Amino acid sequence: MRVLVAIKRVVDYNVKVRIKTDNSGVDLANVKMSMNPFCEIAVEEAVRLKEKGIATEIVVVSVGPSLAQEQLRTALALGADRAILVESDEDLSSLAVARLLKAIVDKEQPHIVILGKQAIDSDNNQTGQMLAALTGYAQGTFASRVDVAGDKVNVTRETDGGLQTVALNLPAIVTADLRLNEPRYASLPNIMKAKKKPVEMVTANSLGVLTTSTVKTLRVEAPAVRSAGVKVGSVAELVEKLKNEARVI
Ligand code: AMP
């Protein structure tokens, strides 16, 4: 069974992002970039499927700049077998990324495609769903448990009110939620071994995919700066402030 995992290069989750002075986007100059945390969970799940003897090959794919090879190498060090970079310096919409991933799915014919539920830079939460629509594959989103059983995969989904388990016919798309697993760290020997694993480079053109965007970002703003809090001297003062200043009671 072949598992395809889509990983995105994003600003590291520890970085406090700065907005460009013209409000056109986030300033990426000299900013640490990493694999999207939900994609790390997706890679870990694929590696666990291989360790259980269910998956036989893990292919990781990223759409992004040449530097995204760094994140692909990390995935190879974590246990993926080979990688594909769809090289693009454009600011691609989710639909364009989903179309490119569909071209890779057509080529690779995976049984399961695992994506993160969300990329922490754009917070779109739509690429997996769009890929499912484009491929016609069944989808199990927000997965907190994945069990492959014969020609089906049972996915337990995190919903607002609890958990829902669905059985999907293979091939299927799964998007990883936070509680699916705890990703491992890459060991030094595996980082060294990953340098020798194959990374194939392709372009949108060579895949025959049009990436013209239907969405344009108009403006990006940082959250409003919160004013400092005050310490009240008594419960009576607190009630007075809630009533007359905040007007919430
Ligand atoms: P999003 O819909 O943008 O929130 O992203 C959800 C998931 O789709 C991510 O966690 C990745 O698994 C996948 N994805 C989004 N953008 C890319 C990309 N440029 N390259 C590879 N995978 C991506």
Side-chain angles (χ1 to χ4, degrees), residues 193-214:
K193 272 190 224 152
K195 290 185 199 254
K196 294 206 180 100
K197 292 186 181 176
V199 178
E200 186 188 346
M201 311 282 279
V202 296
T203 61
N205 260 350
S206 71
L207 293 171
V209 176
L210 263 185
T211 54
T212 338
S213 183
T214 47

Side-chain angles (χ1 to χ4, degrees), residues 3 17 27 29 31-32 34 85 127 139 143 178 184 229:
V3 180
V17 293
D27 189 355
V31 168
K32 181 175 183 223
S34 299
L85 175 63
T127 310
Q139 62 171 314
L178 194 63
R184 69 195 67 190

Side-chain angles (χ1 to χ4, degrees), residues 12-14 32 34-35 37 40-41 43-45 47-48 51 71 73-80 181-194 197:
D12 187 89
Y13 74 97
N14 285 309
K32 181 175 183 223
S34 299
M35 191 190 310
E40 283 182 356
I41 297 173
V43 172
E44 175 66 31
E45 198 60 21
V47 174
R48 290 186 189 190
E51 285 170 346
Q71 283 65 46
R73 289 277 170 213
T74 304
L76 293 170
L78 290 169
N181 59 50
E182 213 170 289
R184 69 195 67 190
Y185 292 100
S187 66
L188 194 57
N190 286 346
I191 293 172
M192 300 313 285
K193 272 190 224 152
K197 292 186 181 176

Side-chain angles (χ1 to χ4, degrees), residues 5-10 36-40 42 61-65 68 85-86 92-94 97-98 100-101 114-130 174-176:
V5 185
I7 64 172
K8 187 175 185 190
R9 172 183 169 89
V10 297
N36 180 45
F38 291 106
C39 301
E40 283 182 356
V61 56
S62 190
V63 179
L85 175 63
V86 183
L92 297 171
S93 66
S94 299
V97 173
L100 292 165
L101 294 178
I114 314 183
L115 301 91
K117 74 159 180 182
Q118 190 170 340
I120 62 162
D121 52 357
S122 54
D123 273 348
N124 283 335
N125 172 229
Q126 54 192 12
T127 310
Q129 294 87 328
M130 286 175 167
V174 174
T175 72

Side-chain angles (χ1 to χ4, degrees), residues 158-181:
E158 297 217 5
T159 64
D160 279 350
L163 298 174
Q164 178 198 43
T165 303
V166 290
L168 314 175
N169 291 343
L170 295 177
I173 312 265
V174 174
T175 72
D177 211 326
L178 194 63
R179 278 164 285 271
L180 180 57
N181 59 50

